[in-house]
Amino acid sequence: MKVKLFESQAKAKEVLNDNEPRLVRAEGKEICIVRKGERIFAFQDACAHMGENLHKGKTNYLNEIVCPLHTYRFNMKTGEEAEQRCKSLKVYDIITDSEGIHLEI
Ligand code: FES
């Protein structure tokens, strides 16, 4: 199922600061989205370690989200934790088409 996030890339840039994690709720799920340049990443907001909100974390230059509670680092594309200390995050596809930018749930 596609859920529209933005009308256009320009709108996404206007609303989402680069590298600033943001919480979105869609279809009863809490999802963290991060824009890095032209690219948008989407993954479950609850940390796979002990459930902290990842949108309160920070990103790094390796395209990882760093959990604010115990600093586990998750690859925002694959969801994998950098040192395999816990299971991976669920990641979501972002689809861009003529109607805008969508989250695939
Ligand atoms: S809850 Fe995220 S690293 Fe522990």
Side-chain angles (χ1 to χ4, degrees):
M1 169 179 208
K2 280 196 323 187
V3 175
K4 188 182 233 174
L5 289 175
F6 303 105
E7 298 289 326
S8 63
Q9 191 66 246
K11 190 69 183 170
K13 281 190 176 168
E14 190 184 312
V15 174
L16 285 181
N17 290 332
D18 211 46
N19 287 314
E20 188 178 283
R22 183 75 67 88
L23 174 67
V24 297
R25 292 189 173 89
E27 298 298 312
K29 299 180 194 317
E30 294 198 329
I31 297 169
C32 181
I33 59 173
V34 175
R35 182 177 70 77
K36 270 187 167 268
E38 300 293 309
R39 178 121 199 231
I40 297 176
F41 298 96
F43 45 88
Q44 71 181 62
D45 187 58
C47 178
H49 179 221
M50 290 178 69
E52 178 62 297
N53 299 114
L54 291 173
H55 72 276
K56 295 178 182 165
K58 293 199 179 334
T59 62
N60 65 17
Y61 70 99
L62 295 170
N63 284 351
E64 295 170 332
I65 181 87
V66 183
C67 179
L69 199 53
H70 309 106
T71 65
Y72 284 21
R73 297 178 289 120
F74 298 90
N75 181 303
M76 294 193 290
K77 182 174 175 226
T78 65
E80 284 177 15
E81 202 282 319
E83 297 176 35
Q84 277 87 49
R85 290 172 285 191
C86 64
K87 65 181 185 173
S88 299
L89 299 176
K90 176 163 180 49
V91 295
Y92 297 91
D93 287 334
I94 297 288
I95 299 162
T96 303
D97 61 22
S98 58
E99 292 169 14
I101 299 174
H102 312 267
L103 187 58
E104 178 73 40
I105 294 186

